[in-house]
Amino acid sequence: MLYETFGIVSRSIPAKNALPVLSCFLIQAEPIGNIVVTGFDMDLGITTTIEGEVSVSGKIAVDAKMILDIMRSMEPGTVTFTENDNKTVTVSGGSSEYILPYMDADTFPERPTVE
């Protein structure tokens, strides 16, 4: 399910961009148990929400291509994201574990709102 979620949002990730953060997914873990994944290329933005178990809320921007490759190779089942002290996140599931750098989520551009 997580791979499909990232696959849908990846349609809004540009092939080339001026801002490195635009090659990332913004992943937000909300205290109510929702995980919100956003991609945005300054013209097209896609946001989707899935239910999950959230023990610590927060948000990070992680390279979209890396996450897609990791999700494609992981066994089905529970996937855990753990933020580390050195601006990395550990993605683990089954017998796999990956450590990825992340960008500050505050550098991710705000999507315009529609009323």
Side-chain angles (χ1 to χ4, degrees), residues 26-29 56-61 83 102-106 110:
L26 177 64
I27 303 171
Q28 298 172 276
V56 178
S57 61
K59 59 185 178 176
I60 57 173
E83 185 179 6
Y102 68 84
M103 298 179 80
D104 185 13
D106 293 333
E110 289 288 325

PDB file of all heavy atoms in Angstrom, residues 26-29 56-61 83 102-106 110:
ATOM      1  N   LEU A  26       7.284  15.172   0.764  1.00  0.00           N
ATOM      2  CA  LEU A  26       7.088  15.698   2.114  1.00  0.00           C
ATOM      3  C   LEU A  26       6.247  14.656   2.839  1.00  0.00           C
ATOM      4  O   LEU A  26       5.127  14.347   2.423  1.00  0.00           O
ATOM      5  CB  LEU A  26       6.365  17.047   2.075  1.00  0.00           C
ATOM      6  CG  LEU A  26       6.033  17.651   3.440  1.00  0.00           C
ATOM      7  CD1 LEU A  26       7.311  17.971   4.220  1.00  0.00           C
ATOM      8  CD2 LEU A  26       5.175  18.891   3.273  1.00  0.00           C
ATOM      9  N   ILE A  27       6.799  14.081   3.896  1.00  0.00           N
ATOM     10  CA  ILE A  27       6.103  13.047   4.661  1.00  0.00           C
ATOM     11  C   ILE A  27       5.789  13.623   6.033  1.00  0.00           C
ATOM     12  O   ILE A  27       6.686  14.035   6.760  1.00  0.00           O
ATOM     13  CB  ILE A  27       6.959  11.776   4.789  1.00  0.00           C
ATOM     14  CG1 ILE A  27       7.341  11.254   3.402  1.00  0.00           C
ATOM     15  CG2 ILE A  27       6.221  10.716   5.598  1.00  0.00           C
ATOM     16  CD1 ILE A  27       8.354  10.127   3.426  1.00  0.00           C
ATOM     17  N   GLN A  28       4.496  13.675   6.351  1.00  0.00           N
ATOM     18  CA  GLN A  28       4.051  14.220   7.628  1.00  0.00           C
ATOM     19  C   GLN A  28       3.341  13.121   8.421  1.00  0.00           C
ATOM     20  O   GLN A  28       2.396  12.509   7.920  1.00  0.00           O
ATOM     21  CB  GLN A  28       3.080  15.376   7.403  1.00  0.00           C
ATOM     22  CG  GLN A  28       3.699  16.540   6.667  1.00  0.00           C
ATOM     23  CD  GLN A  28       2.659  17.569   6.292  1.00  0.00           C
ATOM     24  OE1 GLN A  28       1.995  17.432   5.274  1.00  0.00           O
ATOM     25  NE2 GLN A  28       2.511  18.594   7.123  1.00  0.00           N
ATOM     26  N   ALA A  29       3.817  12.892   9.636  1.00  0.00           N
ATOM     27  CA  ALA A  29       3.168  11.944  10.544  1.00  0.00           C
ATOM     28  C   ALA A  29       2.355  12.759  11.534  1.00  0.00           C
ATOM     29  O   ALA A  29       2.903  13.541  12.304  1.00  0.00           O
ATOM     30  CB  ALA A  29       4.213  11.100  11.260  1.00  0.00           C
ATOM     31  N   VAL A  56       5.434   9.197  17.115  1.00  0.00           N
ATOM     32  CA  VAL A  56       5.962  10.555  17.254  1.00  0.00           C
ATOM     33  C   VAL A  56       5.582  11.325  16.000  1.00  0.00           C
ATOM     34  O   VAL A  56       5.893  10.897  14.889  1.00  0.00           O
ATOM     35  CB  VAL A  56       7.507  10.550  17.415  1.00  0.00           C
ATOM     36  CG1 VAL A  56       8.028  11.975  17.505  1.00  0.00           C
ATOM     37  CG2 VAL A  56       7.929   9.745  18.620  1.00  0.00           C
ATOM     38  N   SER A  57       4.895  12.447  16.165  1.00  0.00           N
ATOM     39  CA  SER A  57       4.510  13.234  14.996  1.00  0.00           C
ATOM     40  C   SER A  57       5.688  14.079  14.529  1.00  0.00           C
ATOM     41  O   SER A  57       6.607  14.365  15.285  1.00  0.00           O
ATOM     42  CB  SER A  57       3.301  14.117  15.319  1.00  0.00           C
ATOM     43  OG  SER A  57       3.614  15.004  16.359  1.00  0.00           O
ATOM     44  N   GLY A  58       5.642  14.453  13.259  1.00  0.00           N
ATOM     45  CA  GLY A  58       6.693  15.286  12.684  1.00  0.00           C
ATOM     46  C   GLY A  58       6.613  15.255  11.178  1.00  0.00           C
ATOM     47  O   GLY A  58       5.711  14.644  10.596  1.00  0.00           O
ATOM     48  N   LYS A  59       7.557  15.928  10.531  1.00  0.00           N
ATOM     49  CA  LYS A  59       7.576  15.938   9.072  1.00  0.00           C
ATOM     50  C   LYS A  59       9.001  16.051   8.574  1.00  0.00           C
ATOM     51  O   LYS A  59       9.849  16.693   9.207  1.00  0.00           O
ATOM     52  CB  LYS A  59       6.700  17.056   8.512  1.00  0.00           C
ATOM     53  CG  LYS A  59       7.066  18.462   8.947  1.00  0.00           C
ATOM     54  CD  LYS A  59       6.052  19.454   8.413  1.00  0.00           C
ATOM     55  CE  LYS A  59       6.396  20.867   8.901  1.00  0.00           C
ATOM     56  NZ  LYS A  59       5.498  21.856   8.334  1.00  0.00           N
ATOM     57  N   ILE A  60       9.249  15.398   7.429  1.00  0.00           N
ATOM     58  CA  ILE A  60      10.559  15.422   6.788  1.00  0.00           C
ATOM     59  C   ILE A  60      10.361  15.431   5.276  1.00  0.00           C
ATOM     60  O   ILE A  60       9.296  15.064   4.787  1.00  0.00           O
ATOM     61  CB  ILE A  60      11.438  14.214   7.191  1.00  0.00           C
ATOM     62  CG1 ILE A  60      10.733  12.889   6.863  1.00  0.00           C
ATOM     63  CG2 ILE A  60      11.840  14.283   8.649  1.00  0.00           C
ATOM     64  CD1 ILE A  60      11.591  11.660   7.074  1.00  0.00           C
ATOM     65  N   ALA A  61      11.378  15.845   4.558  1.00  0.00           N
ATOM     66  CA  ALA A  61      11.385  15.788   3.101  1.00  0.00           C
ATOM     67  C   ALA A  61      12.475  14.800   2.685  1.00  0.00           C
ATOM     68  O   ALA A  61      13.646  14.988   3.003  1.00  0.00           O
ATOM     69  CB  ALA A  61      11.662  17.173   2.515  1.00  0.00           C
ATOM     70  N   GLU A  83      13.320   8.863  12.740  1.00  0.00           N
ATOM     71  CA  GLU A  83      14.212  10.007  12.562  1.00  0.00           C
ATOM     72  C   GLU A  83      15.418   9.859  13.483  1.00  0.00           C
ATOM     73  O   GLU A  83      15.278   9.541  14.657  1.00  0.00           O
ATOM     74  CB  GLU A  83      13.464  11.302  12.866  1.00  0.00           C
ATOM     75  CG  GLU A  83      14.284  12.544  12.599  1.00  0.00           C
ATOM     76  CD  GLU A  83      13.510  13.822  12.892  1.00  0.00           C
ATOM     77  OE1 GLU A  83      12.385  13.751  13.403  1.00  0.00           O
ATOM     78  OE2 GLU A  83      14.064  14.891  12.607  1.00  0.00           O
ATOM     79  N   TYR A 102      17.724  13.312   4.954  1.00  0.00           N
ATOM     80  CA  TYR A 102      16.489  14.032   4.668  1.00  0.00           C
ATOM     81  C   TYR A 102      16.764  15.525   4.716  1.00  0.00           C
ATOM     82  O   TYR A 102      17.768  15.979   5.234  1.00  0.00           O
ATOM     83  CB  TYR A 102      15.345  13.638   5.617  1.00  0.00           C
ATOM     84  CG  TYR A 102      15.515  14.059   7.053  1.00  0.00           C
ATOM     85  CD1 TYR A 102      15.152  15.333   7.474  1.00  0.00           C
ATOM     86  CD2 TYR A 102      16.029  13.175   7.997  1.00  0.00           C
ATOM     87  CE1 TYR A 102      15.299  15.718   8.795  1.00  0.00           C
ATOM     88  CE2 TYR A 102      16.174  13.554   9.321  1.00  0.00           C
ATOM     89  CZ  TYR A 102      15.810  14.820   9.708  1.00  0.00           C
ATOM     90  OH  TYR A 102      15.964  15.203  11.011  1.00  0.00           O
ATOM     91  N   MET A 103      15.837  16.266   4.123  1.00  0.00           N
ATOM     92  CA  MET A 103      15.930  17.722   4.126  1.00  0.00           C
ATOM     93  C   MET A 103      14.929  18.264   5.131  1.00  0.00           C
ATOM     94  O   MET A 103      13.929  17.618   5.444  1.00  0.00           O
ATOM     95  CB  MET A 103      15.641  18.269   2.733  1.00  0.00           C
ATOM     96  CG  MET A 103      16.643  17.799   1.690  1.00  0.00           C
ATOM     97  SD  MET A 103      16.255  18.449   0.060  1.00  0.00           S
ATOM     98  CE  MET A 103      16.921  20.078   0.244  1.00  0.00           C
ATOM     99  N   ASP A 104      15.191  19.465   5.584  1.00  0.00           N
ATOM    100  CA  ASP A 104      14.288  20.130   6.508  1.00  0.00           C
ATOM    101  C   ASP A 104      12.940  20.355   5.821  1.00  0.00           C
ATOM    102  O   ASP A 104      12.877  20.928   4.734  1.00  0.00           O
ATOM    103  CB  ASP A 104      14.903  21.456   6.947  1.00  0.00           C
ATOM    104  CG  ASP A 104      14.092  22.170   7.999  1.00  0.00           C
ATOM    105  OD1 ASP A 104      13.176  21.548   8.573  1.00  0.00           O
ATOM    106  OD2 ASP A 104      14.383  23.346   8.265  1.00  0.00           O
ATOM    107  N   ALA A 105      11.888  19.903   6.431  1.00  0.00           N
ATOM    108  CA  ALA A 105      10.553  20.014   5.844  1.00  0.00           C
ATOM    109  C   ALA A 105      10.112  21.467   5.669  1.00  0.00           C
ATOM    110  O   ALA A 105       9.276  21.759   4.814  1.00  0.00           O
ATOM    111  CB  ALA A 105       9.549  19.260   6.702  1.00  0.00           C
ATOM    112  N   ASP A 106      10.681  22.364   6.442  1.00  0.00           N
ATOM    113  CA  ASP A 106      10.300  23.776   6.326  1.00  0.00           C
ATOM    114  C   ASP A 106      10.766  24.398   5.017  1.00  0.00           C
ATOM    115  O   ASP A 106      10.291  25.464   4.639  1.00  0.00           O
ATOM    116  CB  ASP A 106      10.841  24.573   7.510  1.00  0.00           C
ATOM    117  CG  ASP A 106      10.164  24.168   8.817  1.00  0.00           C
ATOM    118  OD1 ASP A 106       9.000  23.703   8.771  1.00  0.00           O
ATOM    119  OD2 ASP A 106      10.804  24.302   9.876  1.00  0.00           O
ATOM    120  N   GLU A 110       5.051  25.746   0.176  1.00  0.00           N
ATOM    121  CA  GLU A 110       3.623  25.613   0.502  1.00  0.00           C
ATOM    122  C   GLU A 110       2.828  25.491  -0.785  1.00  0.00           C
ATOM    123  O   GLU A 110       3.058  26.208  -1.752  1.00  0.00           O
ATOM    124  CB  GLU A 110       3.128  26.842   1.267  1.00  0.00           C
ATOM    125  CG  GLU A 110       3.649  26.943   2.675  1.00  0.00           C
ATOM    126  CD  GLU A 110       3.005  25.918   3.592  1.00  0.00           C
ATOM    127  OE1 GLU A 110       1.804  25.604   3.426  1.00  0.00           O
ATOM    128  OE2 GLU A 110       3.720  25.430   4.475  1.00  0.00           O
TER     129      GLU A 110
END
